[in-house]
Amino acid sequence: MTQITTTDVAIIGAGPAGMLLSHLLAAQGVESVVIEARSQEYVASRIRAGVLEHSTVELLRSVGLADRLEAEGDEHRGIHLQWPGERHHLDFVDLTGRSVWIYGQTELQKDLIAARTAAGQQVHYEAADVALHDLRTEAPSVTFTDPSGEPHRVRARAVAGCDGSFGPSRGAVGADLRRTWERVYPYSWLGVLADVAPSTDELIYAWHPDGFALHSMRSSTVSRFYLQVPNSTSADEWSHDRIWDALAARLGHGQDGWELEPGTITDTSVLPMRSYVQTPMRDGRLFLAGDAAHIVPPTGAKGLNLAVADVALLAPALADLVRGDSRQADAYSDTALRRVWRCTHFSWWMTTMLHTGTDPFDTQLQLSQLRWVATSEAGATGLAENYAGLPIGF
């Protein structure tokens, strides 16, 4: 027998977007049920983004979710931009008055789970056969089967698709409305997690003839690195010694006395690079947020922050909608997409400026652009403004 639940908003996806949306809705007195295909352990352990924009941190502070971030996270004033023989520091605070924070998505997910568990949030993990129904009516619903095989139906006033690029929400937008834009880049990232203290005070973005490299961090004892590799690369092709040699070369080990400290590598993975936008972000009573609607290459550190901005706009729109006022909901897709396209452009720009190819003409253009950004206040301010993050709903 089907178990039926009635709520204000059915949220598909229990990652940061879905859990933050449930938190924001609850603050406005709106009930929700969260439906997630994966286990809680899987969602909590996914290694993803680690850079939080100024606006993201401000939002988390305003809703009581920043205590551990401020105690354990690391505020950064800017980044280092590098190419062979040169390294320049861009100070975002001096340029724009806005900083960024280093705080892993896994840590933010822990905070969200703790807050929603304490509030009694209803979350269905390991939901199978998730399907969306009647989205162009005022009474949409979501059906699924729980791990015991029991069928469920969640009846709601609205459905929020926060289930990423492989969930059912994206495809539930009608073919008569749906448009997509996509670019697949001719390279990937080899991601490396290592138990070693960072060798840098702030992130290093390095252009190098052998390929792009990034020195990031997760904490005072864990470092995160990325290397540009060809598409179809397997992580098994890269021994630990080969990884450290490539990182040392591309990040400038020995340059001006700087040294890369190697350590124990605990995880490697290959991340394809692509840009993807699907419009509109609404169909009837279905609203998309985060990776369900858009993907950006991680060079600009925008993915998680875009998801946060989406749900920050969506929460008040849904709160009004369930109370009978549709004006914010009607504007949601257009408002969110302005920021989505701005961040998509910035991510593309950072990616194409820093990743090397085979065309020597393109190489000279990249180096010219890097010199301009590093030496022009206007160029540096443009990068800083976009990287530290534009105001939500700008």
Side-chain angles (χ1 to χ4, degrees):
M1 184 174 182
T2 300
Q3 296 294 312
I4 297 177
T5 304
T6 300
T7 191
D8 292 323
V9 180
I11 300 172
I12 305 177
M19 295 298 269
L20 179 57
L21 178 59
S22 72
H23 187 87
L24 298 176
L25 289 172
Q28 299 194 50
V30 177
E31 294 182 350
S32 64
V33 172
V34 181
I35 302 155
E36 168 59 50
R38 303 283 193 167
S39 69
Q40 180 175 326
E41 293 73 22
Y42 177 90
V43 175
S45 64
R46 286 182 294 195
I47 298 174
R48 292 290 190 272
V51 179
L52 301 184
E53 292 179 1
H54 184 83
S55 294
T56 297
V57 174
E58 284 187 323
L59 175 67
L60 295 174
R61 284 172 174 155
S62 71
V63 295
L65 292 172
D67 289 350
R68 202 162 68 90
L69 184 159
E70 293 185 311
E72 301 178 20
D74 189 10
E75 185 175 14
H76 282 198
R77 293 182 63 95
I79 61 170
H80 298 284
L81 199 61
Q82 176 180 305
W83 58 97
E86 297 198 42
R87 179 181 293 173
H88 299 264
H89 183 250
L90 304 185
D91 192 307
F92 299 162
V93 177
D94 284 350
L95 292 164
T96 68
R98 298 164 72 84
S99 63
V100 297
W101 284 72
I102 305 301
Y103 193 65
Q105 178 174 314
T106 52
E107 302 308 311
L108 177 58
Q109 185 70 19
K110 291 176 186 176
D111 297 340
L112 288 164
I113 290 173
R116 300 316 303 141
T117 300
Q121 175 68 49
Q122 187 174 358
V123 183
H124 294 275
Y125 288 102
E126 299 181 77
D129 303 318
V130 179
L132 293 70
H133 309 274
D134 304 319
L135 298 174
R136 294 183 180 178
T137 74
E138 294 185 358
S141 64
V142 179
T143 56
F144 64 94
T145 304
D146 69 23
S148 71
E150 186 172 31
H152 290 252
R153 180 180 294 271
V154 178
R155 292 173 173 165
R157 304 287 299 281
V159 177
C162 304
D163 48 343
S165 56
F166 298 108
S169 298
R170 174 186 288 183
V173 174
D176 57 324
L177 292 179
R178 187 169 63 238
R179 293 190 65 190
T180 61
W181 289 262
E182 184 172 18
R183 171 158 297 176
V184 177
Y185 297 87
Y187 33 71
S188 299
W189 276 9
L190 176 68
V192 179
L193 197 66
D195 285 340
V196 61
S199 301
T200 177
D201 57 339
E202 295 183 331
L203 278 68
I204 302 172
Y205 283 77
W207 182 98
H208 191 274
D210 294 344
F212 168 77
L214 171 62
H215 187 336
S216 184
M217 61 279 291
R218 286 295 176 266
S219 70
S220 61
T221 60
V222 177
S223 294
R224 183 72 164 153
F225 303 94
Y226 297 98
L227 288 164
Q228 177 186 341
V229 295
N231 286 342
S232 75
T233 294
S234 168
D236 295 336
E237 299 171 26
W238 284 76
S239 68
H240 290 186
D241 286 344
R242 183 186 180 190
I243 289 171
W244 287 118
D245 288 345
L247 286 169
R250 298 186 196 185
L251 291 170
H253 178 84
Q255 180 177 312
D256 296 328
W258 180 83
E259 295 185 356
L260 174 68
E261 184 66 32
T264 302
I265 292 175
T266 59
D267 182 77
T268 58
S269 58
V270 175
L271 174 66
M273 307 280 281
R274 67 182 181 124
S275 298
Y276 178 94
V277 178
Q278 177 174 305
T279 66
M281 291 172 64
R282 177 194 182 181
D283 184 356
R285 290 295 178 103
L286 170 64
F287 299 81
L288 302 182
D291 287 0
H294 42 74
I295 301 287
V296 291
T299 324
K302 291 289 148 242
L304 174 59
N305 294 292
L306 263 180
V308 170
D310 286 349
V311 299
L313 293 171
L314 185 55
L318 292 178
D320 281 357
L321 182 65
V322 300
R323 295 177 180 123
D325 184 347
S326 67
R327 287 174 295 179
Q328 286 197 75
D330 293 340
Y332 166 70
S333 181
D334 289 343
T335 302
L337 282 167
R338 285 199 296 271
R339 199 175 202 275
V340 167
W341 278 114
R342 173 86 299 276
C343 292
T344 297
H345 176 267
F346 175 68
S347 299
W348 165 86
W349 179 74
M350 286 282 286
T351 300
T352 55
M353 178 172 65
L354 287 161
H355 289 73
T356 55
T358 58
D359 189 331
F361 183 80
D362 288 346
T363 295
Q364 294 306 314
L365 292 179
Q366 289 176 315
L367 292 171
S368 175
Q369 192 166 207
L370 285 163
R371 294 187 190 102
W372 172 69
V373 170
T375 59
S376 161
E377 184 175 352
T381 300
L383 189 153
E385 181 181 59
N386 284 274
Y387 195 104
L390 299 164
I392 292 173
F394 81 106

